[in-house]
Amino acid sequence: MQKSILILGASGQIGTELTFALREKYGNDRVIASDIREGGDELMASGPFELLDATNYDAMEDVVVHYEIEEIYLMAAMLSATAEKFPMRAWSLNMNSLFNVLNLAKEQKINKLFWPSSIAVFGPNTQKENTPQSAIMEPSTVYGISKQSGERWCSYYYNKYGVDVRSVRYPGLISWKTLPGGGTTDYAVEIFHKAVAGVGYSCFLNPDTKLPMMFMDDAIRATIDLMESNAVNINIRSSYNLAAMSFTPAEIAKSIQKQIPGFRITYNPDFRQAIADSWPNSIDDSCATKDWGWQPGFNLEKTTEEMLKNLRK
Ligand code: NAD
């Protein structure tokens, strides 16, 4: 029989597509989607869904027992831009949800878990270009502090209790199925929606702000590949650097203009500029390549093509 999987935060940008991908692989009924709010129509129609608060250990344990869950993917979190507005709520959600799944695994109620970290673990003192796996990590955002702490706890639970926890540091993710949820790289999704609607885009970052980014299909493939890798190959139990491409708002606008020549972008940086300035420009992901064969499939050109094609439908 196929294993049973629980996704927490399944209605969000990553959770939605991860649910589709895992359901295709393991069967609709084996993958339980859950969130504190219902997801899009396609998600809700595709298989079982539970309203579940990831900060509630007892409720989560009930669902795990009921569906005989073996693996959990924790996607519930408060993202970088929103977390700056609600620091204590962000810390409480991001840390308590992680402790809940780590403790479920420690109590051997589940076998394996995935928890995403972020390039936000790095800070203003980090080497900006080709940031190494173990670069200086002095994050200056609430979100980054929660991700860095999360990484240390994952590593601790692996070393101390043998918990099989796996993680990647996602860069900014670009997707068309679900809107992003309050991050600093959201501009790289919003811009495509405006371009397809035939209107201009006012960008909240400066034209030359270079950030690491990735198309969602790559992120989902990386996540599932890591979870399916043989445990002996996984040498990093905090979180793997992961990369695909890096670009600036001016470069993505230019890439869109190749297909929509009349598209116009203006720049009105807000508080998110400071967050972006504290993050790396590009990431060295050679450990992920060496340990579990990671290779990205989408560059900026291919991402632009996919985004415009699918949003036009
Ligand atoms: P999102 O905001 O789109 O989705 C998060 C989901 O969690 C939402 O559907 C929300 O309703 C749900 N949620 C909030 N509180 C909850 C609770 N108490 N219990 C259950 N569900 C709750 O976020 P996302 O972009 O899908 O991100 C998923 C994970 O990936 C997060 O850990 C995020 O930090 C990480 N990440 C995302 C990106 C990105 O670009 N999207 C980049 C780096 C890391």
Side-chain angles (χ1 to χ4, degrees), residues 3 10 27 38 62 82 195 198 211 228 237 245 276 280 311:
K3 60 188 168 193
E38 291 197 347
D62 286 347
T82 315
L211 289 170
E228 293 192 339
R237 293 292 184 158
M245 57 185 141
L311 288 177

Side-chain angles (χ1 to χ4, degrees), residues 8-16 34-39 52-56 74-80 93-94 97 114-120 143 146-147 168-174 178-186 213-214 216 279:
L8 302 161
S11 302
Q13 190 193 9
I14 305 175
T16 298
S34 75
D35 202 291
I36 47 168
R37 59 177 177 118
E38 291 197 347
L52 177 61
D53 181 346
T55 62
N56 184 337
L74 169 57
M75 292 295 161
M78 194 183 289
L79 271 62
S80 58
L93 170 60
N94 295 3
S97 58
F114 179 85
W115 167 81
S117 185
S118 158
I119 56 163
Y143 176 70
S146 76
K147 290 296 187 188
V168 294
R169 294 172 181 147
Y170 291 131
L173 298 183
I174 304 174
T178 314
L179 286 168
T184 302
T185 52
D186 291 8
M213 299 277 188
M214 180 175 285
M216 186 62 82
W279 289 352

Side-chain angles (χ1 to χ4, degrees), residues 247-298:
F247 57 77
T248 67
E251 285 164 348
I252 191 173
K254 209 168 144 198
S255 157
I256 292 172
Q257 282 157 350
K258 281 188 197 152
Q259 293 200 43
I260 307 177
F263 176 68
R264 288 288 164 266
I265 183 168
T266 52
Y267 300 95
N268 295 293
D270 65 14
F271 73 101
R272 289 169 279 194
Q273 184 65 47
I275 302 177
D277 287 342
S278 77
W279 289 352
N281 295 346
S282 60
I283 299 286
D284 173 1
D285 61 356
S286 51
C287 293
T289 305
K290 185 168 123 303
D291 288 359
W292 44 279
W294 164 245
Q295 286 291 342
F298 289 82

